[in-house]
Amino acid sequence: MYIPPAFRMTDESEMRSVMRTYDFALMLVPGMPDLAATHIPLKLADERQVLIGHVAAANPMAEAIRQGREAIAVFSGPHAYVSPTWYANPSVNVPTWNYVAVHAFGTLVPLDGEEAERSLSSQIADFEAEWRITDIDPKRRARLEAGIQAFEFEINRLEGKAKLSQNKPVEERLRLAHALNERGEHAVAFHMVEDQEDDEDE
């Protein structure tokens, strides 16, 4: 990912926060001609620095998982259009797009049997307070689980980019954040103001 120095995220806890909040990711497996990309929810297990997920067994990515291939998980955070009319002097500015994104690089690890079921249960528990996979009849559950490939993704490197107008004066950044809030783009505005406060604390 192209990251100018002003936009580079260096705080891994901040990057992990983006991964947890915007957990519907795009997974890429370099070198697999039949597999351009897979859109998939991924659960971050902070204590072990891994991502947990599963795909249909018929998905070409399932073979990449069984091969233990290297992959990239792309997490797109909040993003919004920025108009030149929001600046104090629109005639010297151009339209742009502010956004936050995190790329996780690592290795796919296949999970089967009890490990796979624990992985699925962990993912489900994030969204279901009452229903559990063990509620399904064991024979039917076995057939359903045979139709997927569960996996862990061992993270070895994170790259984060927060393009939040850091190359503009403070007054302009706050003006842009206000305009974004007025238009309902609260998440981007929040990150812009938060990033500004972090700069002031350093």
Side-chain angles (χ1 to χ4, degrees), residues 86-89 92-93 164-177 192 195-196 199-200:
W86 302 345
Y87 293 92
N89 187 351
V92 297
N93 288 283
L164 301 169
S165 302
Q166 296 96 320
N167 55 336
K168 301 293 183 181
V170 174
E171 295 78 9
E172 293 281 41
R173 293 174 66 184
L174 295 177
R175 184 192 302 271
L176 296 178
M192 290 181 69
D195 188 76
Q196 176 58 44
D199 288 347
E200 292 175 352

Side-chain angles (χ1 to χ4, degrees), residues 23-27 38-42 53-55 61 123 151:
D23 54 0
F24 190 67
L26 177 66
M27 182 154 275
T38 297
H39 297 267
I40 182 175
L42 293 171
H54 66 276
V55 298
M61 187 180 162
Q123 288 183 276
F151 68 91

Side-chain angles (χ1 to χ4, degrees), residues 20-50:
R20 283 191 297 270
T21 305
Y22 301 92
D23 54 0
F24 190 67
L26 177 66
M27 182 154 275
L28 309 168
V29 182
M32 291 201 72
D34 296 330
L35 184 60
T38 297
H39 297 267
I40 182 175
L42 293 171
K43 173 186 170 72
L44 177 63
D46 271 320
E47 70 282 1
R48 295 188 294 121
Q49 286 298 290
V50 300

Side-chain angles (χ1 to χ4, degrees), residues 169-189:
V170 174
E171 295 78 9
E172 293 281 41
R173 293 174 66 184
L174 295 177
R175 184 192 302 271
L176 296 178
H178 176 75
L180 287 165
N181 265 324
E182 288 290 301
R183 287 155 181 78
E185 301 287 0
H186 304 301
V188 180

Side-chain angles (χ1 to χ4, degrees), residues 22-126:
Y22 301 92
D23 54 0
F24 190 67
L26 177 66
M27 182 154 275
L28 309 168
V29 182
M32 291 201 72
D34 296 330
L35 184 60
T38 297
H39 297 267
I40 182 175
L42 293 171
K43 173 186 170 72
L44 177 63
D46 271 320
E47 70 282 1
R48 295 188 294 121
Q49 286 298 290
V50 300
L51 294 166
I52 299 170
H54 66 276
V55 298
N59 189 323
M61 187 180 162
E63 181 59 27
I65 294 168
R66 289 189 287 270
Q67 292 177 7
R69 299 287 293 267
E70 293 184 348
I72 306 167
V74 178
F75 295 84
S76 295
H79 58 91
Y81 174 76
V82 175
S83 170
T85 63
W86 302 345
Y87 293 92
N89 187 351
S91 65
V92 297
N93 288 283
V94 296
T96 190
W97 206 277
N98 278 5
Y99 61 92
V100 178
V102 174
H103 289 190
F105 299 79
T107 304
L108 295 162
V109 179
L111 299 178
D112 297 295
E114 292 183 2
E115 284 187 330
E117 189 159 298
R118 281 196 298 270
S119 171
L120 291 169
S121 295
S122 175
Q123 288 183 276
I124 292 168
D126 283 352

